[in-house]
Short mmCIF file of all heavy atoms in Angstrom, two decimals:
data_model
loop_
_atom_site.label_atom_id
_atom_site.label_comp_id
_atom_site.label_asym_id
_atom_site.label_seq_id
_atom_site.Cartn_x
_atom_site.Cartn_y
_atom_site.Cartn_z
N GLU D 255 70.03 105.98 -22.56
CA GLU D 255 71.17 105.74 -21.67
C GLU D 255 70.71 105.53 -20.23
O GLU D 255 71.12 104.59 -19.55
CB GLU D 255 72.09 106.97 -21.76
CG GLU D 255 73.46 106.81 -21.20
CD GLU D 255 74.29 108.06 -21.41
OE1 GLU D 255 73.69 109.13 -21.65
OE2 GLU D 255 75.52 107.97 -21.34
N THR D 256 69.83 106.43 -19.81
CA THR D 256 69.29 106.34 -18.44
C THR D 256 68.57 105.02 -18.22
O THR D 256 68.76 104.36 -17.21
CB THR D 256 68.30 107.47 -18.19
OG1 THR D 256 68.86 108.70 -18.70
CG2 THR D 256 68.01 107.64 -16.71
N LEU D 257 67.76 104.64 -19.21
CA LEU D 257 67.02 103.39 -19.08
C LEU D 257 67.95 102.19 -18.98
O LEU D 257 67.74 101.30 -18.17
CB LEU D 257 66.08 103.22 -20.30
CG LEU D 257 64.87 104.14 -20.34
CD1 LEU D 257 64.11 103.95 -21.62
CD2 LEU D 257 63.97 103.93 -19.16
N GLU D 258 68.99 102.20 -19.79
CA GLU D 258 69.92 101.08 -19.75
C GLU D 258 70.67 101.02 -18.42
O GLU D 258 70.95 99.94 -17.90
CB GLU D 258 70.93 101.18 -20.92
CG GLU D 258 70.34 100.80 -22.28
CD GLU D 258 69.74 99.39 -22.29
OE1 GLU D 258 70.21 98.51 -21.53
OE2 GLU D 258 68.81 99.19 -23.07
N LEU D 259 71.00 102.20 -17.91
CA LEU D 259 71.66 102.23 -16.59
C LEU D 259 70.73 101.64 -15.52
O LEU D 259 71.18 100.93 -14.63
CB LEU D 259 72.07 103.66 -16.23
CG LEU D 259 73.28 104.23 -16.98
CD1 LEU D 259 73.55 105.67 -16.55
CD2 LEU D 259 74.52 103.37 -16.74
N HIS D 260 69.46 101.98 -15.64
CA HIS D 260 68.47 101.41 -14.71
C HIS D 260 68.45 99.89 -14.83
O HIS D 260 68.41 99.18 -13.82
CB HIS D 260 67.10 101.98 -15.01
CG HIS D 260 66.73 103.12 -14.11
ND1 HIS D 260 66.55 102.96 -12.76
CD2 HIS D 260 66.57 104.45 -14.35
CE1 HIS D 260 66.27 104.12 -12.22
NE2 HIS D 260 66.28 105.05 -13.16
N GLU D 261 68.47 99.45 -16.04
CA GLU D 261 68.45 98.00 -16.32
C GLU D 261 69.63 97.32 -15.64
O GLU D 261 69.47 96.29 -14.98
CB GLU D 261 68.52 97.79 -17.84
CG GLU D 261 68.04 96.46 -18.30
CD GLU D 261 66.55 96.44 -18.56
OE1 GLU D 261 65.84 97.40 -18.20
OE2 GLU D 261 66.11 95.46 -19.13
N VAL D 262 70.79 97.92 -15.81
CA VAL D 262 72.00 97.34 -15.22
C VAL D 262 71.90 97.29 -13.71
O VAL D 262 72.20 96.27 -13.08
CB VAL D 262 73.27 98.12 -15.67
CG1 VAL D 262 74.48 97.68 -14.90
CG2 VAL D 262 73.49 97.96 -17.16
N THR D 263 71.46 98.41 -13.12
CA THR D 263 71.37 98.43 -11.64
C THR D 263 70.35 97.39 -11.13
O THR D 263 70.60 96.74 -10.11
CB THR D 263 70.96 99.81 -11.10
OG1 THR D 263 69.95 100.35 -11.92
CG2 THR D 263 72.11 100.74 -11.01
N THR D 264 69.26 97.25 -11.87
CA THR D 264 68.26 96.24 -11.44
C THR D 264 68.85 94.85 -11.45
O THR D 264 68.72 94.10 -10.48
CB THR D 264 67.06 96.28 -12.40
OG1 THR D 264 66.61 97.60 -12.56
CG2 THR D 264 65.94 95.43 -11.89
N LEU D 265 69.56 94.53 -12.51
CA LEU D 265 70.17 93.21 -12.61
C LEU D 265 71.21 92.99 -11.52
O LEU D 265 71.26 91.97 -10.87
CB LEU D 265 70.83 93.07 -13.99
CG LEU D 265 71.35 91.68 -14.33
CD1 LEU D 265 70.21 90.68 -14.42
CD2 LEU D 265 72.13 91.70 -15.62
N ARG D 266 72.02 94.03 -11.31
CA ARG D 266 73.10 93.89 -10.30
C ARG D 266 72.51 93.78 -8.91
O ARG D 266 73.05 93.08 -8.05
CB ARG D 266 74.04 95.08 -10.38
CG ARG D 266 74.82 95.13 -11.67
CD ARG D 266 76.26 95.33 -11.46
NE ARG D 266 76.90 94.11 -11.01
CZ ARG D 266 78.21 93.88 -11.12
NH1 ARG D 266 78.98 94.75 -11.68
NH2 ARG D 266 78.71 92.76 -10.68
N ARG D 267 71.41 94.47 -8.70
CA ARG D 267 70.77 94.40 -7.39
C ARG D 267 70.25 92.99 -7.13
O ARG D 267 70.40 92.42 -6.03
CB ARG D 267 69.64 95.41 -7.31
CG ARG D 267 69.38 95.90 -5.90
CD ARG D 267 68.29 96.96 -5.85
NE ARG D 267 67.09 96.52 -6.55
CZ ARG D 267 66.48 97.23 -7.49
NH1 ARG D 267 66.95 98.41 -7.87
NH2 ARG D 267 65.39 96.78 -8.06
N SER D 268 69.64 92.41 -8.15
CA SER D 268 69.11 91.06 -7.96
C SER D 268 70.26 90.08 -7.75
O SER D 268 70.15 89.15 -6.94
CB SER D 268 68.22 90.67 -9.12
OG SER D 268 68.94 90.08 -10.15
N THR D 269 71.33 90.27 -8.49
CA THR D 269 72.52 89.40 -8.31
C THR D 269 73.09 89.55 -6.90
O THR D 269 73.46 88.58 -6.27
CB THR D 269 73.60 89.79 -9.35
OG1 THR D 269 72.99 89.95 -10.62
CG2 THR D 269 74.66 88.71 -9.42
N LEU D 270 73.15 90.78 -6.45
CA LEU D 270 73.65 91.04 -5.09
C LEU D 270 72.80 90.34 -4.03
O LEU D 270 73.34 89.67 -3.14
CB LEU D 270 73.65 92.56 -4.86
CG LEU D 270 73.97 93.06 -3.44
CD1 LEU D 270 75.39 92.72 -3.08
CD2 LEU D 270 73.75 94.58 -3.37
N LEU D 271 71.49 90.46 -4.17
CA LEU D 271 70.62 89.81 -3.19
C LEU D 271 70.71 88.31 -3.27
O LEU D 271 70.71 87.62 -2.24
CB LEU D 271 69.17 90.26 -3.44
CG LEU D 271 68.84 91.65 -2.93
CD1 LEU D 271 67.45 92.09 -3.40
CD2 LEU D 271 68.91 91.71 -1.42
N LYS D 272 70.83 87.77 -4.49
CA LYS D 272 70.96 86.30 -4.63
C LYS D 272 72.23 85.84 -3.98
O LYS D 272 72.26 84.86 -3.25
CB LYS D 272 70.93 85.94 -6.10
CG LYS D 272 69.54 85.63 -6.61
CD LYS D 272 69.59 85.02 -8.00
CE LYS D 272 69.71 86.07 -9.06
NZ LYS D 272 69.59 85.53 -10.41
N ALA D 273 73.32 86.60 -4.24
CA ALA D 273 74.62 86.23 -3.65
C ALA D 273 74.52 86.26 -2.14
O ALA D 273 75.04 85.38 -1.43
CB ALA D 273 75.71 87.18 -4.16
N HIS D 274 73.83 87.26 -1.62
CA HIS D 274 73.69 87.41 -0.17
C HIS D 274 72.92 86.24 0.42
O HIS D 274 73.30 85.66 1.45
CB HIS D 274 72.95 88.72 0.12
CG HIS D 274 72.80 88.99 1.58
ND1 HIS D 274 73.90 89.25 2.40
CD2 HIS D 274 71.72 88.98 2.37
CE1 HIS D 274 73.44 89.42 3.64
NE2 HIS D 274 72.16 89.26 3.64
N MET D 275 71.84 85.83 -0.27
CA MET D 275 71.04 84.72 0.23
C MET D 275 71.80 83.39 0.13
O MET D 275 71.74 82.57 1.02
CB MET D 275 69.73 84.62 -0.57
CG MET D 275 68.76 85.72 -0.24
SD MET D 275 67.12 85.39 -0.89
CE MET D 275 67.36 85.55 -2.61
N MET D 276 72.52 83.26 -0.96
CA MET D 276 73.24 81.99 -1.17
C MET D 276 74.41 81.83 -0.22
O MET D 276 74.83 80.72 0.10
CB MET D 276 73.68 81.87 -2.62
CG MET D 276 72.51 81.67 -3.58
SD MET D 276 73.00 81.26 -5.25
CE MET D 276 73.78 82.76 -5.78
N GLU D 277 74.94 82.98 0.23
CA GLU D 277 76.11 82.91 1.13
C GLU D 277 75.77 82.17 2.42
O GLU D 277 76.65 81.54 3.03
CB GLU D 277 76.58 84.34 1.43
CG GLU D 277 78.03 84.39 1.83
CD GLU D 277 78.43 85.76 2.37
OE1 GLU D 277 78.08 86.77 1.77
OE2 GLU D 277 79.11 85.77 3.41
N SER D 278 74.52 82.24 2.84
CA SER D 278 74.13 81.59 4.11
C SER D 278 73.97 80.07 3.96
O SER D 278 73.93 79.37 4.97
CB SER D 278 72.84 82.21 4.63
OG SER D 278 71.82 82.07 3.67
N ILE D 279 73.86 79.57 2.72
CA ILE D 279 73.67 78.12 2.58
C ILE D 279 74.84 77.44 1.88
O ILE D 279 74.82 76.23 1.73
CB ILE D 279 72.35 77.81 1.82
CG1 ILE D 279 72.30 78.56 0.48
CG2 ILE D 279 71.14 78.13 2.67
CD1 ILE D 279 71.20 78.07 -0.43
N VAL D 280 75.84 78.22 1.51
CA VAL D 280 76.98 77.61 0.76
C VAL D 280 77.85 76.80 1.75
O VAL D 280 77.94 77.10 2.93
CB VAL D 280 77.77 78.71 0.06
CG1 VAL D 280 78.62 79.52 1.02
CG2 VAL D 280 78.63 78.14 -1.05
N GLU D 281 78.47 75.74 1.20
CA GLU D 281 79.33 74.89 2.05
C GLU D 281 80.82 75.15 1.80
O GLU D 281 81.59 75.29 2.70
CB GLU D 281 78.99 73.42 1.80
CG GLU D 281 77.86 72.95 2.70
CD GLU D 281 77.43 71.53 2.39
OE1 GLU D 281 78.05 70.91 1.52
OE2 GLU D 281 76.47 71.07 3.02
N ASP D 282 81.18 75.17 0.51
CA ASP D 282 82.58 75.32 0.14
C ASP D 282 83.10 76.73 0.44
O ASP D 282 82.53 77.70 -0.03
CB ASP D 282 82.73 75.00 -1.35
CG ASP D 282 84.19 74.97 -1.79
OD1 ASP D 282 85.05 74.94 -0.90
OD2 ASP D 282 84.43 74.99 -3.01
N PRO D 283 84.18 76.83 1.22
CA PRO D 283 84.71 78.15 1.57
C PRO D 283 85.17 78.96 0.37
O PRO D 283 85.06 80.19 0.35
CB PRO D 283 85.90 77.87 2.48
CG PRO D 283 86.00 76.40 2.65
CD PRO D 283 84.89 75.75 1.92
N GLU D 284 85.68 78.26 -0.64
CA GLU D 284 86.15 78.97 -1.85
C GLU D 284 85.00 79.61 -2.60
O GLU D 284 85.10 80.74 -3.11
CB GLU D 284 86.90 77.99 -2.78
CG GLU D 284 87.92 78.69 -3.63
CD GLU D 284 88.75 77.72 -4.46
OE1 GLU D 284 89.09 76.65 -3.92
OE2 GLU D 284 88.98 77.99 -5.63
N LEU D 285 83.91 78.86 -2.66
CA LEU D 285 82.71 79.41 -3.31
C LEU D 285 82.15 80.58 -2.50
O LEU D 285 81.65 81.56 -3.07
CB LEU D 285 81.64 78.30 -3.46
CG LEU D 285 80.44 78.60 -4.34
CD1 LEU D 285 80.85 79.06 -5.72
CD2 LEU D 285 79.52 77.39 -4.44
N ARG D 286 82.26 80.49 -1.18
CA ARG D 286 81.81 81.59 -0.34
C ARG D 286 82.60 82.85 -0.62
O ARG D 286 82.09 83.95 -0.66
CB ARG D 286 81.93 81.21 1.15
CG ARG D 286 81.54 82.35 2.06
CD ARG D 286 81.41 81.93 3.51
NE ARG D 286 80.22 81.11 3.68
CZ ARG D 286 80.19 79.97 4.37
NH1 ARG D 286 81.27 79.51 4.92
NH2 ARG D 286 79.07 79.31 4.49
N LYS D 287 83.91 82.61 -0.86
CA LYS D 287 84.77 83.76 -1.20
C LYS D 287 84.32 84.41 -2.50
O LYS D 287 84.29 85.65 -2.61
CB LYS D 287 86.23 83.25 -1.36
CG LYS D 287 87.17 83.84 -0.32
CD LYS D 287 88.48 83.08 -0.22
CE LYS D 287 89.43 83.26 -1.38
NZ LYS D 287 90.66 82.42 -1.26
N LEU D 288 83.96 83.55 -3.47
CA LEU D 288 83.46 84.09 -4.76
C LEU D 288 82.17 84.88 -4.55
O LEU D 288 81.99 85.95 -5.16
CB LEU D 288 83.19 82.93 -5.72
CG LEU D 288 84.37 82.33 -6.46
CD1 LEU D 288 83.94 81.14 -7.26
CD2 LEU D 288 85.01 83.36 -7.38
N LEU D 289 81.31 84.38 -3.68
CA LEU D 289 80.05 85.06 -3.41
C LEU D 289 80.32 86.43 -2.74
O LEU D 289 79.68 87.43 -3.06
CB LEU D 289 79.15 84.21 -2.52
CG LEU D 289 78.43 83.04 -3.17
CD1 LEU D 289 77.82 82.12 -2.15
CD2 LEU D 289 77.35 83.52 -4.13
N ARG D 290 81.28 86.43 -1.79
CA ARG D 290 81.61 87.68 -1.10
C ARG D 290 82.13 88.69 -2.10
O ARG D 290 81.78 89.86 -2.06
CB ARG D 290 82.69 87.40 -0.04
CG ARG D 290 82.15 86.63 1.13
CD ARG D 290 82.50 87.25 2.47
NE ARG D 290 81.82 86.56 3.55
CZ ARG D 290 82.42 85.64 4.32
NH1 ARG D 290 83.69 85.35 4.14
NH2 ARG D 290 81.74 85.05 5.26
N LYS D 291 82.99 88.19 -2.98
CA LYS D 291 83.59 89.04 -4.02
C LYS D 291 82.47 89.64 -4.89
O LYS D 291 82.45 90.84 -5.17
CB LYS D 291 84.56 88.23 -4.89
CG LYS D 291 85.24 89.00 -5.98
CD LYS D 291 86.50 89.63 -5.51
CE LYS D 291 87.08 90.52 -6.59
NZ LYS D 291 88.07 91.45 -6.05
N GLU D 292 81.55 88.78 -5.28
CA GLU D 292 80.41 89.20 -6.11
C GLU D 292 79.61 90.30 -5.39
O GLU D 292 79.25 91.30 -5.99
CB GLU D 292 79.53 87.99 -6.40
CG GLU D 292 78.27 88.30 -7.14
CD GLU D 292 78.49 88.78 -8.56
OE1 GLU D 292 79.32 88.15 -9.24
OE2 GLU D 292 77.83 89.76 -8.98
N LYS D 293 79.42 90.10 -4.10
CA LYS D 293 78.68 91.08 -3.32
C LYS D 293 79.40 92.43 -3.29
O LYS D 293 78.78 93.47 -3.52
CB LYS D 293 78.49 90.58 -1.88
CG LYS D 293 77.21 89.79 -1.68
CD LYS D 293 77.19 89.11 -0.34
CE LYS D 293 77.03 90.06 0.82
NZ LYS D 293 76.99 89.35 2.09
N GLN D 294 80.72 92.34 -3.02
CA GLN D 294 81.52 93.60 -2.95
C GLN D 294 81.44 94.35 -4.26
O GLN D 294 81.13 95.56 -4.30
CB GLN D 294 82.99 93.23 -2.72
CG GLN D 294 83.40 93.09 -1.28
CD GLN D 294 84.85 92.64 -1.17
OE1 GLN D 294 85.62 92.79 -2.12
NE2 GLN D 294 85.21 92.07 -0.03
N VAL D 295 81.73 93.63 -5.36
CA VAL D 295 81.77 94.24 -6.69
C VAL D 295 80.39 94.83 -7.04
O VAL D 295 80.29 95.96 -7.52
CB VAL D 295 82.23 93.22 -7.75
CG1 VAL D 295 82.09 93.78 -9.14
CG2 VAL D 295 83.65 92.78 -7.48
N SER D 296 79.36 94.05 -6.79
CA SER D 296 78.01 94.50 -7.12
C SER D 296 77.65 95.76 -6.35
O SER D 296 77.11 96.72 -6.93
CB SER D 296 76.97 93.40 -6.78
OG SER D 296 77.01 92.39 -7.72
#
Side-chain angles (χ1 to χ4, degrees):
Chain D
E255 194 177 19
T256 316
L257 288 176
E258 285 303 331
L259 286 178
H260 262 293
E261 200 89 349
V262 171
T263 41
T264 309
L265 188 66
R266 295 229 75 159
R267 208 178 51 232
S268 88
T269 315
L270 172 65
L271 283 172
K272 269 191 279 187
H274 183 67
M275 287 194 291
M276 290 190 293
E277 204 190 315
S278 58
I279 53 168
V280 74
E281 273 175 3
D282 186 14
E284 206 175 319
L285 190 54
R286 177 170 288 134
K287 244 164 73 184
L288 280 175
L289 284 168
R290 290 230 173 100
K291 181 88 186 163
E292 175 67 44
K293 269 170 71 179
Q294 273 176 20
V295 172
S296 285

